[in-house]
């Protein structure tokens, strides 16, 4: 009797565990476009197009390679609307006795599959360098789970940028060289863009019709949607963008959405690229003398360090992680996160490009929208749902640790040793947003004061009990205390007034 082999929309790799375990001659691959996955958060239309178009192309490739694929399109009349519903329907149709699945990247779906009336085997997703067992082994007995030490293990494990037992160039981490402010000219034209083919055009029409009310523009659509295109996009970045990736990793520009970033996370996260393939391409460029060590190391650290580490944390911490609220923040997400007007140019530009591209780079996510959300005390659950919805690369295993942990400090300090907060000065140093903003970054209080300046001190003040003894934050508190009672009271009062106006729906 045949078995069903479940392949989800972010498991589009030929060597994904369920396919590796399958019998091509006897088993049936099940792939399903379902309303539930498109709407459990209001995903950006571009993200839905990416996933569905890549699913359709992957199914065609499987069929070409001799697999029997039962594929449900979103508009099929007998579509039950959920992954579990489709498995039950297909089990009945094929008289299948069992289902093999690769573990999903989200507890919501893991639980739904485990609770389903199916004989299910769930295999570990081994498209990562660190298995769950490896991460647990590393985490065991440690007081703090810091990325840097985990990363060194990953370097040793993969041999990437290693000279024997030592790190290439003598240092594990070249971050010190990677904090240059935005350049005047960017000599990288950005990620490779692909003209939609017939498959993509069909999906664009479908998504426009079914999810056109979600935040974000569906067109123009240019993402890669198959393995060949994703590899070309990677090669393009390595050749033209990588050399300066390190230098300008933390920079931001109002009129350049991509700078020297790779735009490969959507492809990595749905299975169109493999993390080691990406890192080897980068290492090869360094070995060939085409890119400096700070670029290659900086990039590889993001992939085998941060990416693997946040996944380890998500599964280590368990199902409640995404719902944590360690700082007790409860304020609702303001409408400007969904595109309503704001006078804060940095926020407005980051949200605008998010709507247009389903993409913002790391520092925009961390130090603009994330920083604002944390300073303003927004409910981390709502913030996390926003990030999960609006970015093409957002799947909970990677999104939740980055948002709830790194950005909102809502996991109580599992990931970050101190909150990522800054006043307007940092934003001004690393970007050109402040030129042309309705607020003045140099103004601390009173008319035109930059809200980041007010809210920064407001945050520190209201969380004094939590952070004043943090060794890395002592200087900030000393500066705050030196300001004197009157100045401090003015800052707190003006920050409160700003938050009140924001809550009332005024344009702030
Ligand atoms: P580049 O800057 O070119 O980096 C190269 C690669 O490194 C990325 O493709 C990505 O695979 C990896 N990487 C870098 N930083 C991280 C990180 N912190 N965690 C995991 N991988 C990393 N990344 C996601 O893939 N999905 C998310 O939902 C996501 N949400 C985020 C939310 C917040 C608040 C923050 C601060 C970061 C988030 N990140 C997320 C990490 C990072 O912002 C994106 O991976 C990166 O912007 C993707 O763009 P890129 O491919 O151009 O990356
Ligand atoms: C993100 C997404 C979307 C929008 N649609 C589908 C779908 O129709 N079918 C499917 O199998 N997967 C989809 N996905 C990806 C899943 O949401 C993802 O597998 C889970 O969130 C676990 O990471
Ligand atoms: Fe953002 Fe403040 Fe600069 Fe305006 S002045 S762009 S609000 S940091």
């Amino acid at each position: 009797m045949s078995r069903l082999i479940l392949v989800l929309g972010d498991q589009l790799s030929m060597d994904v565990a369920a396919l590796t375990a399958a019998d091509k001659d006897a088993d049936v691959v099940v792939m399903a476009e379902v309303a539930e996955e498109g709407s459990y958060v209001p995903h950006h239309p571009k993200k839905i197009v990416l996933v569905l178009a890549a699913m359709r192309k992957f199914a065609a490739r499987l069929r070409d390679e001799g697999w029997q694929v039962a594929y449900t399109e979103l508009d099929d009349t007998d579509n039950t609307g959920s992954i579990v519903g489709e498995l039950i329907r297909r089990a009945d149709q094929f008289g299948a006795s069992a289902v093999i699945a690769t573990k999903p990247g989200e507890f919501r779906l893991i639980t739904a599959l485990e609770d389903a009336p199916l004989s299910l085997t769930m295999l570990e997703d081994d498209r990562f360098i660190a298995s769950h067992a490896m991460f647990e082994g590393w985490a065991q007995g440690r007081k703090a789970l810091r990325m840097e030490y985990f990363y060194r293990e990953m370097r040793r494990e993969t041999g990437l940028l290693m000279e024997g037992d030592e790190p290439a160039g003598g240092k594990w981490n070249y971050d010190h060289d990677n904090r240059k402010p935005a350049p005047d000219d960017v000599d990288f034209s950005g990620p490779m863009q692909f003209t939609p083919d017939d498959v993509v055009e069909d999906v664009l029409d479908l998504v426009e019709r079914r999810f056109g009310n979600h935040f974000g523009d569906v067109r123009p659509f240019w993402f890669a949607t198959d393995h060949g295109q994703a590899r070309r996009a990677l090669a393009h970045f390595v050749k033209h963008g990588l050399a300066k990736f390190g230098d300008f990793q933390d920079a931001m520009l109002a009129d350049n959405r991509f700078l020297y970033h790779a735009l490969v996370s959507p492809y990595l996260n749905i299975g169109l690229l493999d993390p080691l393939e990406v890192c080897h391409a980068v290492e090869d460029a360094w070995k060939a003398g085409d890119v400096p060590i700070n670029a290659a190391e900086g990039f590889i650290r993001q992939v085998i360090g941060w990416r693997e580490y946040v996944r380890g944390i998500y599964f280590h911490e368990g199902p409640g992680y995404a719902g944590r609220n360690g700082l007790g923040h409860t304020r609702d997400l303001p409408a400007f996160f969904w595109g309503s007007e704001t006078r804060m140019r940095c926020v407005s530009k980051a949200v605008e490009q998010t709507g247009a591209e389903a993409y913002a780079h790391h520092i925009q996510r961390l130090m603009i929208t994330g920083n604002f959300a944390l300073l303003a005390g927004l409910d981390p659950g709502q913030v996390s749902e926003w990030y999960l919805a609006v970015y093409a690369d957002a799947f909970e295993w990677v999104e939740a640790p980055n948002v709830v942990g790194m950005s909102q400090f809502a996991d109580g300090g599992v990931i970050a040793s101190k909150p990522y907060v800054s006043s307007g000065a940092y934003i001004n140093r690393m970007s050109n947003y402040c030129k042309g903003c309705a607020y003045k970054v140099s103004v601390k209080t009173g008319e035109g004061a930059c809200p980041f300046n007010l809210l920064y001190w407001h945050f520190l003040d209201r969380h004094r009990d939590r952070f004043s003894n943090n060794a890395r934050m002592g200087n900030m508190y000393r500066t705050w205390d030196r300001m004197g009672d009157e100045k401090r009271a003015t800052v707190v009062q003006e920050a409160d007034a700003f938050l009140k106006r924001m809550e009332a729906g005024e344009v702030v």
Side-chain angles (χ1 to χ4, degrees):
M1 198 180 261
S2 68
R3 299 172 301 179
L4 301 183
I5 309 300
L6 176 65
V7 175
L8 293 167
D10 55 353
Q11 298 178 341
L12 309 178
S13 317
M14 280 296 172
D15 58 357
V16 74
L19 281 176
T20 307
D23 177 351
K24 197 189 263 189
D25 298 323
D27 297 334
V28 179
V29 176
V30 172
M31 297 179 71
E33 300 172 4
V34 291
E36 187 170 88
E37 293 309 305
S39 52
Y40 66 92
V41 290
H43 294 294
H44 194 300
K46 277 200 168 82
K47 175 183 186 180
I48 306 179
V49 175
L50 169 72
V51 172
L52 302 194
M55 282 175 72
R56 288 185 182 192
K57 290 187 178 186
F58 189 68
R61 191 172 154 200
L62 286 172
R63 286 195 182 108
D64 283 348
E65 296 193 13
W67 292 91
Q68 185 182 353
V69 183
Y71 191 96
T72 309
E73 294 197 355
L74 198 65
D75 276 350
D76 287 352
T77 46
D78 43 6
N79 188 334
T80 55
S82 72
I83 297 292
V84 168
E86 283 308 279
L87 283 172
I88 293 170
R89 184 169 76 83
R90 295 299 191 184
D92 204 33
Q93 178 187 354
F94 291 99
S97 57
V99 177
I100 302 182
T102 308
K103 192 173 180 175
E106 190 172 338
F107 288 113
R108 171 189 62 86
L109 201 48
I110 294 173
T111 307
L113 288 174
E114 283 172 346
D115 292 350
L118 294 161
S119 165
L120 177 93
T121 306
M122 193 140 36
L123 304 173
E124 182 171 351
D125 189 345
D126 55 10
R127 296 172 302 164
F128 293 86
I129 297 149
S131 64
H132 294 320
M134 193 190 284
F135 191 87
E136 291 310 318
W138 173 77
Q140 202 173 24
R142 282 173 193 269
K143 271 220 290 238
L145 303 180
R146 294 289 165 249
M147 196 289 295
E148 184 61 29
Y149 299 106
F150 171 78
Y151 164 56
R152 293 180 191 181
E153 292 298 311
M154 292 296 98
R155 289 274 292 278
R156 292 192 185 96
E157 176 72 23
T158 58
L160 284 160
L161 300 180
M162 294 298 289
E163 287 159 358
D165 290 338
E166 298 302 316
K171 282 202 296 186
W172 290 104
N173 184 317
Y174 289 82
D175 227 7
H176 186 67
D177 303 333
N178 289 359
R179 299 198 181 113
K180 296 193 176 57
D184 289 335
D185 284 322
V186 176
D187 56 2
F188 174 46
S189 59
M192 182 171 273
Q193 308 202 348
F194 300 88
T195 306
D197 55 23
D198 290 348
V199 175
V200 178
E201 280 295 349
D202 282 353
V203 177
L204 281 164
D205 291 342
L206 173 72
V207 170
E208 231 161 18
R209 201 161 25 79
R210 296 285 296 265
F211 303 104
N213 59 336
H214 290 189
F215 167 78
D217 305 337
V218 67
R219 295 171 198 270
F221 181 91
W222 52 260
F223 283 125
T225 47
D226 62 43
H227 296 79
Q229 290 182 342
R231 281 195 190 116
R232 284 169 59 203
L234 169 66
H236 170 82
F237 164 72
V238 170
K239 188 163 180 205
H240 302 289
L242 175 62
K244 293 192 183 159
F245 168 83
D247 287 356
F248 300 114
Q249 203 179 338
D250 288 0
M252 297 171 280
L253 281 174
D255 49 1
N256 188 313
R257 294 171 174 171
F258 309 114
L259 279 104
Y260 293 94
H261 291 276
L263 270 289
V264 290
S265 51
Y267 312 146
L268 276 165
N269 295 352
I270 67 171
L272 299 186
L273 287 174
D274 171 78
L276 275 180
E277 157 188 32
V278 170
C279 291
H280 282 134
V282 169
E283 185 185 44
D284 288 348
W286 171 70
K287 282 184 177 161
D290 296 338
V291 303
I293 185 79
N294 69 308
E297 189 282 317
F299 190 90
I300 286 173
R301 174 158 28 90
Q302 308 309 313
V303 178
I304 66 169
W306 280 109
R307 186 170 184 270
E308 295 283 330
Y309 165 81
V310 295
R311 176 173 182 265
I313 293 285
Y314 180 73
F315 285 103
H316 176 76
E317 293 294 314
Y321 184 82
R324 290 193 195 165
N325 190 354
L327 296 178
H329 285 171
T330 55
R331 198 162 271 118
D332 285 338
L333 202 71
F336 56 73
F337 272 77
W338 300 108
S340 296
E341 189 184 349
T342 167
R343 299 167 70 223
M344 293 178 283
R345 187 162 185 255
C346 51
V347 175
S348 157
K349 283 284 176 188
V351 172
E352 176 190 292
Q353 86 159 67
T354 298
E357 309 286 359
Y359 177 82
H361 62 72
H362 187 75
I363 294 299
Q364 294 169 315
R365 297 188 207 195
L366 188 64
M367 297 313 292
I368 304 295
T369 42
N371 187 14
F372 181 84
L374 180 55
L375 294 179
L378 304 188
D379 170 2
Q382 292 183 39
V383 176
S384 180
E385 276 201 16
W386 182 80
Y387 278 95
L388 189 57
V390 301
Y391 291 114
D393 59 16
F395 299 89
E396 200 178 85
W397 64 267
V398 55
E399 175 275 332
N402 270 301
V403 176
V404 175
M406 189 187 323
S407 162
Q408 298 303 294
F409 207 82
D411 68 357
V414 175
I415 289 192
S417 54
K418 77 173 186 55
Y420 282 95
V421 283
S422 83
S423 67
Y426 172 86
I427 295 171
N428 190 36
R429 187 164 66 250
M430 300 309 292
S431 79
N432 63 358
Y433 289 133
C434 301
K435 292 185 192 100
C437 180
Y439 295 105
K440 289 212 164 32
V441 70
S442 55
V443 178
K444 307 285 192 278
T445 54
E447 184 65 28
C450 163
F452 282 83
N453 293 342
L454 295 169
L455 294 173
Y456 175 73
W457 297 118
H458 192 265
F459 172 87
L460 289 182
D461 191 57
R462 68 182 192 265
H463 290 300
R464 181 182 274 278
D465 288 351
R466 178 72 178 76
F467 295 122
S468 61
N469 290 328
N470 182 319
R472 299 182 62 201
M473 298 177 75
N475 275 342
M476 304 171 185
Y477 278 99
R478 278 189 286 280
T479 308
W480 177 230
D481 290 340
R482 272 199 303 271
M483 277 185 207
D485 292 345
E486 203 179 319
K487 178 85 186 284
R488 285 205 307 270
T490 306
V491 170
V492 171
Q493 192 191 17
E494 290 189 14
D496 276 334
F498 173 88
L499 292 171
K500 277 216 177 70
R501 289 203 308 278
M502 184 181 86
E503 283 177 327
E506 282 180 38
V507 175
V508 290

